[in-house]
Amino acid sequence: MGRSKFSTLLFVFIFSIFSFHGTLVRSDASNHRYSDADNVTLYANKVGPFHNPSETYRYFDLPFCATGKEKDKTEALGEVLNGDRLVSAPYTLDFKKDKDSKSVCKKKLTKEQVAQFREAVKKDYYFQMYYDDLPIWGFIGTVDKEGKADPSEYKYFLYKHIQFDVLYNKDRVIEISARMDPHSVVDLTEDKEVDTEFLYTVKWKETDIPFEKRMEKYSQSSSLPHHLEIHWFSIINSCVTVLLLTGFLATILMRVLKNDFMKYAQDEEAADDQEETGWKYIHGDVFRFPKYKSLFAAALGSGTQLFALTIFIFMLALVGVFYPYNRGALFTALVVIYALTSGIAGYTATSFYIQLEGSNWVRNLLLTGCLFCGPLFLMFCFLNTVAIAYSATAALPFGTILVIVLIWTLVTSPLLVLGGIAGKNSRAEFQAPVRTTKYPREIPPLPWYRSTIPQMAMAGFLPFSAIYIELYYIFASVWGHRIYTIYSILFIVFIILLIVTAFITVALTYFQLAAEDHEWWWRSFLCGGSTGLFIYGYCLYYYHARSDMSGFMQTSFFFGYMACICYGFFLMLGSVGFRASLFFVRHIYSVPENMRSIDSFHAYWWCPAISALVTA
């Protein structure tokens, strides 16, 4: 009975989280239909420096007009994680009701308030509002630099008149924009008290744009012809890279392997005392289990979970869940899907750990649960402390932190344990086509370029070059104000990334084995995941050369969270590289001993098309 109640509560809890989509797209009027003169609440969201997207503050942290009757909007988990803090604004926008120069309030700005506004104008502060779930932006002021070489001579002005232009179709709001009147400003240049009156104007205009297409304007910038040309150029560049790499590696490896097999077959027919060389020489060591097997299995489990998370996110994106300004949908999906896929990490890590003849599977399970979440939690604690010190909206309230802890306690941890128990009970044996000798062979001295660091550099460069162009648009969306909506192209680039990572890791694994170095397990994982290090290197370039971000908070948020993202890429691509290498190594060492003819070799390997390429 107790177990049944717990299952019911868990189901209700998960179901309530999954209902985020309906919660996010609905305003107070859930069907978005209004009658004439109906009040539609305008919500003020946040203000902040235009070039520092993470550094945002509550709208009324600046001394705008406040009536004291403002109400906070109830927000979903993803909205809070996104830094949204919606509060009713003192502007009344009744449906289809024009207003001309309506006064919000008359206010005397103190010297401190003038200095606060001037500092905000100096940093290009913008505001963001929402009206019927449609976003609105505008700058709060302007700087007059014309004819002035010395910054001390600049003049600073605060806009005090906003004009809202609203388009409607029958009984629904279609589009809204905010224009600031450049002739109605307040001079903030000097530290002195200023009397001002804040005004707003509302103009309604009918349109024939259907309600279903009202979000399309926000995605047009990313689907303009010249942007699509660049995206498709990126795809073509990546495809050419994949084809050349695939053809090159397939040809080289097939020729080399064919020669190896024929050589070994001839050696077997020759004198038995002739010494073997190359990758076949270490057949008794190639499946010797790696050092730190618990850490290796945990990394493989965490990487597999992140891979599953990425696939599920792409599935939601391709069906249109993450349409423009579906506030917080992506963050909610990341939290929920990561929690629900923790069983994959537990099962993969524990089952592989048992295959490696590990004994302490409980410790392995704890390591799996902390391998990615641990660094992420520590980074979050540091960055949340920074956000609290800045009084920024990026600081999560206690209630939200409590919800995340409950999700981790009630969903992530139980599923991780259940997956671990299932993996332990699977009792699958490691499939090794050859027996492992009792004592390992000594690895011969190798040149410097065959060591781990140079191999990782070579392994990460090609996959990174395949995604380099698309990275700019992703960064401009995540750390800027662009909107990324072409998820189909992004998915193609992701598939190409996986293919290139797998092929380059397999090639380097073969060259390592050919040099009689049998410690390929960790090397294949590190080489596969090295693309994450290149992406973090691109972060340094993007921050200094392609963005105008500045300040301690924005810098710490950018490099802190990108370190976590690149670490996730390292684990995910590392698991892909190892899986590809394991398949390859098993395949070459399971070739029958009597395979001595070229025809039988081609029949066993790959496909007739590649075989024809080899014999050409």
Side-chain angles (χ1 to χ4, degrees), residues 227-475:
H227 283 298
L228 283 176
E229 287 179 5
I230 297 175
H231 285 291
W232 282 113
F233 175 77
S234 172
I235 292 291
I236 294 172
N237 172 66
S238 302
C239 288
V240 169
T241 302
V242 169
L243 290 175
L244 290 177
L245 180 65
T246 305
F248 173 77
L249 292 180
T251 303
I252 296 299
L253 289 180
M254 288 290 291
R255 286 185 179 274
V256 171
L257 285 172
K258 181 192 71 174
N259 293 334
D260 286 347
F261 279 120
M262 300 307 296
K263 173 179 175 295
Y264 294 142
Q266 293 172 1
D267 289 344
E268 289 174 2
E269 294 175 352
D272 293 336
D273 57 350
Q274 188 172 356
E275 188 178 7
E276 293 179 336
T277 58
W279 57 268
K280 194 173 182 183
Y281 174 69
I282 57 173
H283 63 85
D285 298 279
V286 73
F287 291 105
R288 190 179 304 280
F289 298 149
K291 299 177 181 178
Y292 314 110
K293 61 179 68 175
S294 182
L295 178 61
F296 188 84
L300 188 63
S302 297
T304 306
Q305 179 189 6
L306 293 173
F307 178 76
L309 169 66
T310 306
I311 295 299
F312 281 123
I313 290 295
F314 270 118
M315 290 172 60
L316 292 178
L318 294 175
V319 299
V321 172
F322 307 131
Y323 60 82
Y325 295 102
N326 186 356
R327 297 190 306 276
L330 178 60
F331 288 101
T332 307
L334 286 171
V335 172
V336 173
I337 296 176
Y338 183 83
L340 296 178
T341 54
S342 58
I344 297 176
Y347 178 83
T348 303
T350 306
S351 62
F352 197 76
Y353 180 67
I354 294 299
Q355 290 181 40
L356 298 182
E357 299 177 359
S359 56
N360 197 340
W361 67 274
V362 176
R363 185 180 63 182
N364 173 252
L365 199 60
L366 292 174
L367 183 59
T368 304
C370 298
L371 192 62
F372 180 73
C373 287
L376 181 62
F377 174 75
L378 294 177
M379 185 61 68
F380 163 76
C381 290
F382 168 70
L383 296 180
N384 202 57
T385 303
V386 172
I388 292 173
Y390 274 76
S391 299
T393 60
L396 296 187
F398 177 76
T400 303
I401 297 176
L402 183 61
V403 169
I404 295 176
V405 171
L406 286 175
I407 292 175
W408 191 86
T409 304
L410 300 177
V411 181
T412 306
S413 298
L415 290 178
L416 180 70
V417 172
L418 290 175
I421 294 174
K424 171 183 174 294
N425 294 332
S426 64
R427 299 189 180 281
E429 295 185 358
F430 185 79
Q431 301 298 321
V434 292
R435 290 188 300 175
T436 301
T437 57
K438 187 175 182 180
Y439 300 104
R441 293 180 184 272
E442 184 179 355
I443 300 174
L446 299 175
W448 66 269
Y449 56 84
R450 287 187 179 272
S451 59
T452 303
I453 301 300
Q455 294 284 293
M456 289 175 63
M458 286 188 284
F461 177 75
L462 271 177
F464 173 77
S465 65
I467 63 173
Y468 168 76
I469 298 177
E470 205 67 23
L471 273 182
Y472 168 76
Y473 291 94
I474 298 173
F475 274 59

Side-chain angles (χ1 to χ4, degrees), residues 81-203:
L81 294 175
N82 195 40
D84 292 337
R85 304 292 186 271
L86 273 67
V87 60
S88 57
Y91 303 97
T92 305
L93 276 66
D94 297 328
F95 189 70
K96 294 171 62 175
K97 187 176 180 180
D98 290 347
K99 293 183 179 180
D100 190 17
S101 296
K102 179 75 173 179
S103 176
V104 181
C105 74
K106 293 182 180 179
K107 190 170 185 177
K108 179 187 285 289
L109 297 178
T110 65
K111 292 181 181 180
E112 291 77 14
Q113 291 174 336
V114 168
Q116 189 177 0
F117 269 128
R118 183 174 63 245
E119 188 66 22
V121 172
K122 186 184 298 185
K123 293 182 178 179
D124 287 330
Y125 266 50
Y126 72 100
F127 65 83
Q128 185 186 50
M129 299 180 180
Y130 281 93
Y131 184 70
D132 193 40
D133 281 343
L134 293 171
I136 317 166
W137 302 271
F139 286 98
I140 68 169
T142 183
V143 182
D144 181 14
K145 302 179 181 179
E146 187 175 354
K148 302 175 181 65
D150 188 356
S152 62
E153 298 178 355
Y154 292 167
K155 290 187 175 295
Y156 302 92
F157 299 97
L158 174 70
Y159 293 125
K160 63 178 184 178
H161 189 179
I162 305 177
Q163 177 171 324
F164 297 100
D165 297 309
V166 192
L167 300 182
Y168 69 94
N169 187 345
K170 297 178 181 179
D171 57 352
R172 287 181 156 182
V173 178
I174 302 301
E175 185 178 321
I176 184 171
S177 60
R179 290 187 295 144
M180 318 307 292
D181 187 352
H183 303 294
S184 181
V185 294
V186 181
D187 192 344
L188 305 172
T189 306
E190 299 180 9
D191 283 328
K192 64 180 182 180
E193 293 184 348
V194 178
D195 290 316
T196 185
E197 181 179 16
F198 289 93
L199 308 167
Y200 72 101
T201 299
V202 184
K203 298 293 183 183

